[in-house]
Amino acid sequence: MKLFAPLTLALLLTPAALAQHQAFVVNPDASEVKMTLQTTHELVSGAFHIQSGSIDFDRGTPKMSGSVVVLAASGKTGNDSRDKKMYKDILQVQQHSTVSFEPRTYVGVIAPSGDSTIQVTGIFTLLGMPHEITIPMLVHLDGASATAKAHFVVPYVQWGLKNPSFLIWKASNDVTIDLFLTGKLSK
């Protein structure tokens, strides 16, 4: 009986000890989304502003929730006329002011501190249409601070966006995205 009580207490407390729920709250001003689009004449580079972001995860389960929201009309490529065309014809910002990613699950192990490489699967919403995508991410946890870096390709034409090609200037049907998120962890 004396052995049973401590063993029972240990079994009851184990789920609480294993629960590692955390929230990663993104600092929009210190985070960035960069894009590159290959064309016949140049490599077009641009950046977008992150409006908000918060991701909940538990290192004990492969589930995630939350979202990262980007302002569609914040994109800048260094060419005002190209940006206006991108807002109006490609991203249709009058009807779709944001682009978002909502993580659902991940594969890999998120270490309590340091670097971890995981594969995050979620819903990428572009022009109001949801698309499932898996994104490789390098996550770094350091006390109450965290970063996440990702490099991935979005098949924007396949997902229903217009290709900006005209005359002899041809653009790729895919755009490369580099995502850098930084923020704070909370429990």
Side-chain angles (χ1 to χ4, degrees), residues 33 48-53 67-75 87 90-102 123-131 159 161:
V33 177
F48 288 82
H49 179 71
I50 295 173
Q51 178 180 356
S52 63
S67 67
V68 175
V69 180
V70 175
L71 294 171
S74 69
Y87 303 150
I90 312 301
L91 295 176
Q92 302 174 18
V93 300
Q94 293 293 359
Q95 296 87 15
H96 309 284
S97 62
T98 62
V99 175
S100 65
F101 178 68
E102 297 176 11
I123 303 300
F124 194 107
T125 302
L126 192 56
L127 292 187
M129 299 182 323
H131 306 277
W159 287 3
L161 278 73

Side-chain angles (χ1 to χ4, degrees), residues 14-57:
T14 298
L18 293 176
Q20 301 169 21
H21 177 265
Q22 292 186 291
F24 172 41
V25 179
V26 176
N27 176 347
D29 294 330
S31 301
E32 62 186 3
V33 177
K34 292 187 176 182
M35 56 77 71
T36 53
L37 177 66
Q38 183 66 53
T39 72
T40 51
H41 299 302
E42 64 183 322
L43 184 63
V44 176
S45 298
F48 288 82
H49 179 71
I50 295 173
Q51 178 180 356
S52 63
S54 181
I55 300 169
D56 292 324
F57 65 96

